[in-house]
Amino acid sequence: MKRTVLAASISLAVSALLIAGTGSPAAAADTARPHPPKADKSQAVQDARDSIAAHPKAVRASSDDTFKSASVLVDKDGTRHVHMTREYRDLPVLGGDVVVHSAPSGAFRESTLTLKDSLSLPVTPKVSAQRAETLAQKKFQGERADTTSKLVVDALAGTPRLAWQVTVDGIAPDQSPSHFNVLVDALTGKVGQTWNDFHTADGTGHGYQVGDVPLTTTAVSGGYQLKDATRGNGETRDAQNLTATNDSPPAGWGKAFTDTGNVWGNGTLSDRATVAADAHFGIQATWDYYKNVHGRSGIKNDGVGARSFVHYGNNYANAGWDDTSFSMIYGDGAPGDKPFTELDVAGHEMSHGVTSATANLNYFGDAGGLNESTSDIFGTLVEFNANSAVDTPDYLIGEKISSTPLRYMDDPKKDGASQSCWTTGTKNLDPHYSSGVGNHFFYLLAVGSGSSQWGNSPTCDGGTVTGLGNATAGKIWYRALTTYMTSGTTYPQARTASIKAATDLYGAASSQCAAVEKAWSGVAVAPTATTCGGGGTPPSGSNLLSNPGFESGAVNWTASSGVVTNDASGTPHSGSYYAWLDGYGSAHTDTLSQSVTVPATAAAPKLSFFLAIDTKESGTTPYDTLKAQVVNGTSTTTLATYSNATPGGYTQRTLDLSAFKGKTVTIKFTGTEDSSAATSFLIDDTAVTTG
């Protein structure tokens, strides 16, 4: 519904809506706005392009930038989320991607990104491509097949620079396919970040079978083939103990599994089809989880199934996902051990493909840990969803591969290498170990802290977390990954992304949203003024709030739909944007919040904001209210309450935060109106100061 127009207290907005000759606001201002039709993906992309053109600062865009859509998500209510890649003067920008969020009407709402400033740099290299390739090849270990290079802008960390992205394809020393990437400074020749686009599980083999399971196959001449037409023609093939090189494995590689009686394997390793049954069931279980739980049709959400190759390599003690060839490989393990075909391994590896098709998280730094933990999370959820008696669901990763699990989600440090608590040094670890922070967060969110049938999970802050269950926690993580994360998302930014996801799904005042915040604090990921929000402008001076005047839209804020706006029906205190809570003339609640850490050394911390109140109510009874609150864990403190009883134009309000020194809290505004006449609460130019 459309909110009522503001009256005399905000005269600028009203004057534009007068009907000629009547001297009163247009009647249409109080009528319901038709719900906009749901946008198709092409319209969502166009809205995103229009938003970038109208709000270049919000996405750090310059006149030399161009954007291409990578993925599109349209919510049930028509809200659009378009993930865009960026090119600067026709060069790909690594770390320059952005998610543009638009309202159902198509109006810009906010953006999610990691790029801190617009780009300005020369694009003529001083180092040749050949020289860059030679330098990169020296970093590669294994059997080299091909080397390619392309000129890019490296904006992944620090000052953006011109670089050669060199990809060395081949076979790694452990027989894994390798797409080894090296960034070489195109001006100085300095070798920088490296990563591998092929993702493996981190173990030594010792696989197991999934037992007696139903398999969907395809009838062919003379019998059946391990190809599932109901799941995008996902297929399982025999690699014949070879390793594929170059495009690994290329189309048509390997040998199809066929059988005249549609019976696959005999439960022992004497039949090569036994592990094929394991792998094929892994394809089915992963597809079914994403389809039935998240409505996702296949890894890329395009209805196309993946391929699995079993008996890969010679005693290859690993498994992995190759996004280049859109396939999964399984080795037979070390001599005398079983193949590497555990169900959560299948879900883990194919979830790397989901990550690649959505947030496209880097495979290094905090983003690398998030990439790996996302696969551990969804691999675990695939296992729970399948609920096999042969592989009892748990929060251990690859527990049937070796004598001890590869990773423990309840307390990741138990493996001797992973981190349970985030630090600024987490980004320097191998992604299999920095993933511990994300795994620990998810366990706390799903199961909770302390002892349970699944393990014993401590918290890094000494707090207590009550779990929400797998279904809720999984939906929140999937929403955060597909809607708010970008390639360079850090752990603090993942906190913000998942809080936004929980708000979208359950509301800003929900217990689910509070649990997300407590779970992140439980792994030592607390919001800070300079890191939360995925790209908001850092605060200046002593203001601890980010984007305090809303000029970057809703960036850094968690808000009800339409609260942060530049709607011309109202007016900001300054700038173009402001927050508009309520004003619908019906029973309604709006919220607006942002987390902040109040320094323990603050002399006299205060919350201040400009508030305007316009109402159609009469009298002094407070029918409609706005509460300024502080949420500290599960406790909510109301600092002040304002209502329709005292309407007026913008006035600065200042409230004491001394009780919250040394704590990470959420500043929250809650506007509630009853079912009759409307009251609008406008907020702008907020601040948390240290005094």
Side-chain angles (χ1 to χ4, degrees):
M1 291 186 299
K2 187 172 182 178
R3 301 170 183 170
T4 56
V5 208
L6 303 183
S9 61
I10 310 177
S11 58
L12 289 177
V14 176
S15 62
L17 294 175
L18 297 180
I19 299 177
T22 66
S24 62
D30 294 326
T31 60
R33 177 194 298 158
H35 195 283
K38 185 174 181 178
D40 59 20
K41 291 187 176 181
S42 61
Q43 182 61 53
V45 172
Q46 185 57 53
D47 291 339
R49 293 189 181 282
D50 292 344
S51 294
I52 289 173
H55 306 281
K57 290 184 178 180
V59 297
R60 316 297 186 261
S62 73
S63 59
D64 291 316
D65 289 357
T66 56
F67 296 83
K68 297 179 181 178
S69 63
S71 63
V72 180
L73 175 65
V74 180
D75 295 342
K76 290 182 179 180
D77 68 352
T79 302
R80 305 94 187 267
H81 313 274
V82 181
H83 199 144
M84 310 282 279
T85 59
R86 182 191 311 253
E87 290 187 350
Y88 174 77
R89 297 173 65 177
D90 298 325
L91 298 181
V93 180
L94 307 184
D97 53 323
V98 57
V99 183
V100 179
H101 309 276
S102 303
S105 64
F108 175 66
R109 182 169 288 173
E110 63 175 313
S111 60
T112 306
L113 69 164
T114 55
L115 192 64
K116 293 180 173 59
D117 297 296
S118 58
L119 297 169
S120 177
L121 70 160
V123 294
T124 302
K126 294 182 179 179
V127 175
S128 69
Q130 183 178 8
R131 174 60 177 162
E133 291 176 7
T134 299
L135 292 169
Q137 288 171 350
K138 292 180 180 179
K139 302 287 288 186
F140 177 74
Q141 295 180 349
E143 180 184 343
R144 192 170 71 244
D146 189 27
T147 303
T148 58
S149 59
K150 62 180 178 181
L151 204 58
V152 300
V153 174
D154 173 16
L156 295 169
T159 302
R161 59 175 184 158
L162 188 67
W164 288 105
Q165 181 181 350
V166 183
T167 303
V168 185
D169 294 315
I171 298 295
D174 69 350
Q175 303 183 68
S176 298
S178 181
H179 307 295
F180 187 68
N181 286 264
V182 183
L183 293 181
V184 179
D185 193 305
L187 300 182
T188 67
K190 182 179 180 180
V191 175
Q193 184 67 55
T194 65
W195 70 95
N196 195 341
D197 281 336
F198 177 80
H199 309 302
T200 66
D202 184 34
T204 57
H206 303 288
Y208 79 105
Q209 292 129 358
V210 297
D212 296 331
V213 292
L215 298 177
T216 303
T217 61
T218 298
V220 295
S221 177
Y224 301 87
Q225 183 176 340
L226 276 183
K227 179 179 287 189
D228 187 349
T230 68
R231 296 178 177 88
N233 285 317
E235 182 182 7
T236 301
R237 297 176 70 86
D238 188 343
Q240 301 177 294
N241 298 106
L242 300 175
T243 56
T245 58
N246 202 2
D247 179 18
S248 53
W253 187 76
K255 180 182 178 181
F257 278 99
T258 58
D259 187 81
T260 57
N262 209 11
V263 177
W264 308 92
N266 61 9
T268 74
L269 299 183
S270 65
D271 188 336
R272 292 180 73 84
T274 296
V275 293
D278 296 343
H280 206 61
F281 182 72
I283 288 180
Q284 291 184 181
T286 303
W287 178 287
D288 290 351
Y289 168 73
Y290 280 107
K291 180 68 173 178
N292 298 335
V293 177
H294 302 296
R296 187 178 189 86
S297 182
I299 289 172
K300 289 187 177 180
N301 201 24
D302 59 0
V304 177
R307 297 180 298 166
S308 284
F309 292 86
V310 295
H311 303 300
Y312 179 91
N314 184 21
N315 299 324
Y316 179 57
N318 220 326
W321 170 261
D322 184 30
D323 203 59
T324 301
S325 59
F326 204 64
S327 60
M328 174 86 185
I329 63 170
Y330 297 90
D332 288 330
D337 292 327
K338 295 180 181 180
F340 209 90
T341 51
E342 187 172 353
L343 182 56
D344 62 356
V345 172
H348 170 108
E349 300 299 350
M350 284 184 271
S351 291
H352 276 304
V354 174
T355 296
S356 177
T358 55
N360 195 27
L361 289 161
N362 296 328
Y363 204 65
F364 53 86
D366 270 3
L370 286 165
N371 192 320
E372 271 296 317
S373 65
T374 293
S375 283
D376 281 352
I377 288 166
F378 288 128
T380 295
L381 294 178
V382 166
E383 186 177 271
F384 270 93
N385 194 60
N387 197 25
S388 168
V390 178
D391 183 8
T392 305
D394 52 41
Y395 295 91
L396 305 172
I397 307 302
E399 72 281 357
K400 298 181 74 174
I401 293 172
S402 185
S403 58
T404 59
L406 300 178
R407 289 182 287 280
Y408 303 79
M409 298 186 80
D410 64 321
D411 189 9
K413 68 178 182 292
K414 288 194 295 188
D415 67 16
S418 295
Q419 280 193 342
S420 295
C421 304
W422 182 78
T423 70
T424 55
T426 298
K427 63 181 179 291
N428 299 320
L429 297 175
D430 180 285
H432 291 100
Y433 306 135
S434 57
S435 65
V437 176
N439 287 349
H440 192 195
F441 160 77
F442 185 82
Y443 184 93
L444 291 174
L445 187 63
V447 180
S449 59
S451 297
S452 75
Q453 63 175 309
W454 310 113
N456 184 20
S457 189
T459 57
C460 306
D461 65 347
T464 300
V465 182
T466 300
L468 301 175
N470 280 343
T472 299
K475 288 178 181 178
I476 291 171
W477 193 254
Y478 180 80
R479 174 81 177 175
L481 174 75
T482 59
T483 309
Y484 294 111
M485 292 188 191
T486 60
S487 59
T489 295
T490 63
Y491 272 115
Q493 290 166 351
R495 173 182 174 127
T496 299
S498 53
I499 291 172
K500 287 177 179 289
T503 299
D504 292 346
L505 295 169
Y506 305 106
S510 65
S511 59
Q512 293 90 340
C513 201
V516 170
E517 296 199 54
K518 286 186 69 64
W520 278 119
S521 295
V523 297
V525 179
T528 65
T530 58
T531 56
C532 67
T537 304
S540 59
S542 60
N543 190 352
L544 302 180
L545 292 177
S546 296
N547 188 23
F550 311 104
E551 293 308 302
S552 294
V555 170
N556 299 112
W557 293 93
T558 300
S560 301
S561 177
V563 163
V564 178
T565 182
N566 61 350
D567 192 328
S569 298
T571 186
H573 176 256
S574 66
S576 302
Y577 279 78
Y578 58 99
W580 184 348
L581 288 78
D582 298 331
Y584 288 87
S586 60
H588 188 84
T589 298
D590 277 332
T591 59
L592 172 72
S593 63
Q594 183 177 147
S595 295
V596 65
T597 299
V598 182
T601 56
K606 291 180 174 59
L607 164 66
S608 65
F609 54 95
F610 283 85
L611 172 65
I613 305 173
D614 177 77
T615 185
K616 290 185 176 295
E617 300 278 10
S618 59
T620 58
T621 302
Y623 298 110
D624 309 320
T625 62
L626 174 76
K627 294 181 178 180
Q629 301 170 307
V630 175
V631 181
N632 180 23
T634 59
S635 175
T636 300
T637 301
T638 298
L639 301 178
T641 301
Y642 311 94
S643 75
N644 57 276
T646 55
Y650 276 112
T651 303
Q652 188 174 34
R653 319 292 173 125
T654 302
L655 305 172
D656 185 20
L657 295 178
S658 296
F660 305 99
K661 289 196 291 185
K663 298 178 180 179
T664 297
V665 298
T666 299
I667 303 298
K668 183 177 181 181
F669 298 94
T670 302
T672 306
E673 61 180 336
D674 64 10
S675 58
S676 60
T679 301
S680 293
F681 300 98
L682 301 193
I683 298 172
D684 202 357
D685 296 328
T686 63
V688 170
T689 55
T690 60

